[in-house]
Amino acid sequence: AQSVTQLDSHVSVSEGTPVLLRCNYSSSYSPSLFWYVQHPNKGLQLLLKYTSAATLVKGINGFEAEFKKSETSFHLTKPSAHMSDAAEYFCVVRPWSSYKLIFGSGTRLLVRP
Amino acid sequence: EPEVTQTPSHQVTQMGQEVILRCVPISNHLYFYWYRQILGQKVEFLVSFYNNEISEKSEIFDDQFSVERPDGSNFTLKIRSTKLEDSAMYFCASSDADSPLHFGNGTRLTVT
């Protein structure tokens, strides 16, 4: 069965320092992988997606993620955190030949001034 | 940029009542979805809808739930005989064939 594990429920960083949000997935075939962000009282916004093209994927707002098949990981990074990055981040897998998305439990990012 | 819009943003209903959550997907999208997020829990898939029929549904989506596309623009989720445990944020989403899902801002349903 397909699943997604986000290794940290909360991550706290100082403004201007790097961000690393970790995600591991389990999937029988080549999945599509996504990161979504949810700001308070807002919907889910797509940050980036991986669909078996380049393994390093660049998204919006300076975020990027690297697909590592050998490690079954899809960690989200950003070189320098901004206060506006404070939000909840979801790693998501869409199994091959399925319509549905499987969400991780989310990582809440706190950015300290 | 086109958006998925959901109304109302917050719905309060009494246990046992029926509610209809409304969504206007992005106009050229053909695939429609409902997800929900119970407070403190994961976002869960409920149902996907394509070509005027359900294409996939989860075990959560039992006979209490139904979806409809009553006209060319709206996509609705009906919950009959609501229970306390139906309280959640309900997200509508849409996509075209190979695109990522675009989500609305959600409807917070509170069952009292």
Side-chain angles (χ1 to χ4, degrees), chain B residues 45-105:
Chain B
F45 169 78
L46 292 178
V47 66
S48 60
F49 189 88
Y50 170 72
N51 200 26
N52 285 319
E53 61 182 25
I54 291 173
S55 47
E56 194 170 354
K57 63 182 182 178
S58 71
E59 59 275 10
I60 302 168
F61 195 88
D62 59 20
D63 292 343
Q64 186 193 4
F65 296 89
S66 61
V67 289
E68 192 178 30
R69 189 155 164 81
D71 53 42
S73 59
N74 290 283
F75 179 54
T76 62
L77 174 68
K78 182 187 290 185
I79 309 175
R80 287 178 282 274
S81 189
T82 49
K83 306 187 285 272
L84 293 176
E85 53 265 38
D86 295 326
S87 295
M89 181 73 90
Y90 288 81
F91 291 105
C92 174
S94 69
S95 71
D96 60 27
D98 294 318
S99 74
L101 274 62
H102 294 255
F103 286 86
N105 284 348

Side-chain angles (χ1 to χ4, degrees), chain A residues 4 34 36 38 41-44 46 49 90 94 97-101 103-105, chain B residues 31 33 35 37 42-43 45 48 50 55-56 91 98-105:
Chain A
V4 176
F34 309 85
Y36 280 83
Q38 185 180 27
N41 301 314
K42 295 289 186 184
L44 296 154
L46 178 70
K49 62 177 180 178
F90 294 95
R94 181 166 67 193
S97 79
S98 173
Y99 292 104
K100 70 179 183 184
L101 300 182
F103 281 74
S105 53
Chain B
Y31 297 80
Y33 313 83
Y35 286 75
Q37 184 180 28
K42 289 186 180 185
V43 177
F45 169 78
S48 60
Y50 170 72
S55 47
E56 194 170 354
F91 291 105
D98 294 318
S99 74
L101 274 62
H102 294 255
F103 286 86
N105 284 348

Side-chain angles (χ1 to χ4, degrees), chain A residues 53-99:
Chain A
T55 56
L56 182 63
V57 182
K58 293 188 184 298
I60 62 170
N61 301 335
F63 284 95
E64 61 183 37
E66 186 172 6
F67 173 72
K68 291 187 176 180
K69 187 173 181 179
S70 60
E71 299 176 9
T72 61
S73 69
F74 190 57
H75 300 334
L76 182 70
T77 60
K78 182 173 180 177
S80 176
H82 192 272
M83 295 298 291
S84 61
D85 294 328
E88 183 130 25
Y89 291 79
F90 294 95
C91 183
V92 180
V93 62
R94 181 166 67 193
W96 183 77
S97 79
S98 173
Y99 292 104

Side-chain angles (χ1 to χ4, degrees), chain A residues 6-29:
Chain A
Q6 290 185 246
L7 297 159
D8 306 293
S9 60
H10 292 80
V11 169
S12 180
V13 300
S14 297
E15 190 175 20
T17 64
V19 175
L20 169 63
L21 306 183
R22 298 182 293 167
C23 172
N24 286 96
Y25 69 92
S26 168
S27 181
S28 303
Y29 300 101

